[in-house]
Amino acid sequence: MTHGMRADSHTPRHDGDGGPRDTAARYALLPLRIFLGVTFVYAGLDKLTDSAFLKDSGAGSIGDMMRAVRDSSAVPALVDMALESPVGFGYAIAFGELAVGIGTLLGLLTRIAALGGALISLSLWLTVSWAAEPYYYGNDLPYLMAWTPLILAGAPLLSVDAALRARRRRGTL
């Protein structure tokens, strides 16, 4: 009996004639892209339309939330920077989430959008959800990890990036 590498390992074909496994592999990032895109568009719009959030103080305001997490955050200096202009920071996060979500859904500059999403998630993890105990109760760390495949792979299918890439290959751009 020989123990070693499996002979039935699967290597996707790049000519597009592979079958269901190849099709699944090619489209594997699409559900993640849709989920993250929709979630970040929703988060941005939710912040922009919430009358309480974009205020310096008061129940549900960005200012009160940042003051509440300041001493429990991993990087209090980030919170202090946000507290210099909480409303401006709130708008920056909201518009950042909106831009990241739209870019991700359209597959437009996907790697850059995903990097933006990862940076937003990282900043929120190090500030707002850092004190979650145990750590996996906080939602920002899983979002940070979810952005990683899109940073690495981009949006190879059903995206503006893919359409532009195809046009460049044909020489029509």
Side-chain angles (χ1 to χ4, degrees):
M1 177 180 249
T2 303
H3 292 28
M5 291 179 46
R6 291 178 52 170
D8 66 339
S9 64
H10 176 71
T11 304
R13 293 172 59 174
H14 297 288
D15 58 8
D17 294 334
R21 288 175 78 181
D22 289 341
T23 301
R26 282 194 310 274
Y27 288 90
L29 291 178
L30 191 57
L32 182 62
R33 221 177 92 206
I34 292 168
F35 170 75
L36 290 171
V38 167
T39 300
F40 269 59
V41 166
Y42 178 80
L45 290 175
D46 188 46
K47 287 173 180 66
L48 290 171
T49 59
D50 183 346
S51 60
F53 180 77
L54 292 170
K55 292 191 176 173
D56 185 41
S57 61
S61 70
I62 181 73
D64 278 3
M65 180 180 65
M66 297 310 290
R67 282 186 281 280
V69 301
R70 193 231 176 255
D71 293 332
S72 63
S73 72
V75 187
L78 282 176
V79 179
D80 290 339
M81 191 170 42
L83 283 171
E84 289 178 20
S85 177
V87 175
F89 178 73
Y91 275 109
I93 289 291
F95 282 120
E97 288 172 336
L98 199 54
V100 162
I102 291 169
T104 302
L105 283 172
L106 294 176
L108 177 62
L109 302 172
T110 308
R111 286 187 169 115
I112 294 169
L115 181 60
L119 291 173
I120 290 170
S121 298
L122 176 63
S123 68
L124 293 174
W125 176 53
L126 292 174
T127 56
V128 178
S129 64
W130 181 257
E133 187 73 30
Y135 76 93
Y136 51 82
Y137 279 174
N139 64 348
D140 297 309
L141 182 58
Y143 278 106
L144 172 60
M145 294 299 110
W147 285 111
T148 304
L150 294 177
I151 293 170
L152 297 173
L157 293 170
L158 301 176
S159 66
V160 173
D161 292 344
L164 292 173
R165 201 168 29 257
R167 287 184 72 180
R168 278 193 300 272
R169 276 196 302 267
R170 288 191 312 265
T172 59
L173 186 65

